[in-house]
Amino acid sequence: MQHPLPYLAHYAENLQSEIQKLLDQNKLGSWLRHRYPTTHKIAKDNDLRNYVMSLKNHYLKQSQPISKIKYDSEIHIVNHALGLHSYVSRVQGKKLKNKNEIRVSSLFKNTPEAFLNMIVVHELAHLREKEHNKAFYKLCQYMLPDYHQIEFDVRVYLTELEHSGSVFTAC
Ligand SMILES: [Zn+2]
């Protein structure tokens, strides 16, 4: 059986029941919109690229280059809750090429900037750390001190999105 709150399964029981209660009362959407009243305007792949590169240049200048940065409407959020891991090995001709790509689910096009920031920081941290280990989260917090709180809020957003189909209206 699927967990009632699949995106929040690893959080404390009291947090989960708080969110479940808001969900049951149809108040989770307004809870999110109250916490995050505005959405970002980073709508095109090119805007996303500039956004990612300015964060990378600021925090991870020495890290490997990124060959492709784009929004991807194919990313199925249930299986890859937080974006696709960014390391792709591909055979080109006879050579195995390792390329860093960052694909952000299109579900983050119309969200508060904090959510996009968190997803991008997560993917940038994978340039250095492939696993979700201590060093990985330390790097995330270095780029975004509030990382853990925002990851929780992103998971709440995904929960509400599945529940009601939309959370933030374009404005
Ligand atoms: Zn990851």
Side-chain angles (χ1 to χ4, degrees):
M1 200 185 101
Q2 208 198 15
H3 190 280
L5 297 172
Y7 300 113
L8 299 168
H10 301 294
Y11 290 89
E13 288 287 330
N14 62 319
L15 276 175
Q16 292 190 42
S17 56
E18 205 179 299
I19 297 302
Q20 186 66 58
K21 202 172 143 197
L22 289 165
L23 196 64
D24 294 342
Q25 297 171 335
N26 284 318
K27 286 182 180 163
L28 198 54
S30 54
W31 183 83
L32 279 162
R33 289 185 292 273
H34 182 75
R35 280 169 74 85
Y36 296 95
T38 59
T39 55
H40 66 76
K41 304 271 184 288
I42 302 153
K44 301 213 166 88
D45 287 343
N46 206 33
D47 303 330
L48 181 66
R49 184 172 183 87
N50 291 337
Y51 183 76
V52 171
M53 288 312 292
S54 75
L55 283 168
K56 181 179 185 292
N57 290 335
H58 191 79
Y59 293 109
L60 298 175
K61 221 174 171 55
Q62 307 301 320
S63 293
Q64 305 157 45
I66 308 166
S67 61
K68 190 184 272 178
I69 298 169
K70 67 192 285 275
Y71 281 113
D72 191 333
S73 57
E74 306 280 289
I75 295 180
H76 197 64
I77 212 78
V78 177
N79 301 321
H80 295 279
L82 300 176
L84 271 191
H85 287 185
S86 47
Y87 203 55
V88 190
S89 290
R90 197 176 275 153
V91 182
Q92 266 177 11
K94 285 186 176 131
K95 271 190 264 174
L96 182 69
K97 278 200 168 180
N98 291 313
K99 277 185 167 182
N100 288 296
E101 297 184 355
I102 289 185
R103 289 165 193 264
V104 174
S105 167
S106 299
L107 297 179
F108 292 96
K109 266 188 186 179
N110 186 34
T111 64
E113 198 218 323
F115 292 5
L116 181 68
N117 194 359
M118 181 257 133
I119 296 296
V120 169
V121 157
H122 184 105
E123 294 305 309
L124 284 174
H126 276 311
L127 295 178
R128 292 222 182 137
E129 297 289 338
K130 301 298 169 225
E131 308 294 327
H132 294 143
N133 55 23
K134 230 175 165 175
F136 173 83
Y137 286 109
K138 220 178 144 186
L139 198 50
C140 289
Q141 281 185 284
Y142 162 66
M143 292 185 273
L144 183 60
D146 248 1
Y147 179 87
H148 291 292
Q149 176 64 52
I150 299 171
E151 178 172 335
F152 176 77
D153 292 343
V154 163
R155 290 171 177 276
V156 171
Y157 162 64
L158 295 171
T159 301
E160 173 60 14
L161 195 62
E162 280 196 1
H163 177 72
S164 69
S166 80
V167 180
F168 299 100
T169 48
C171 58

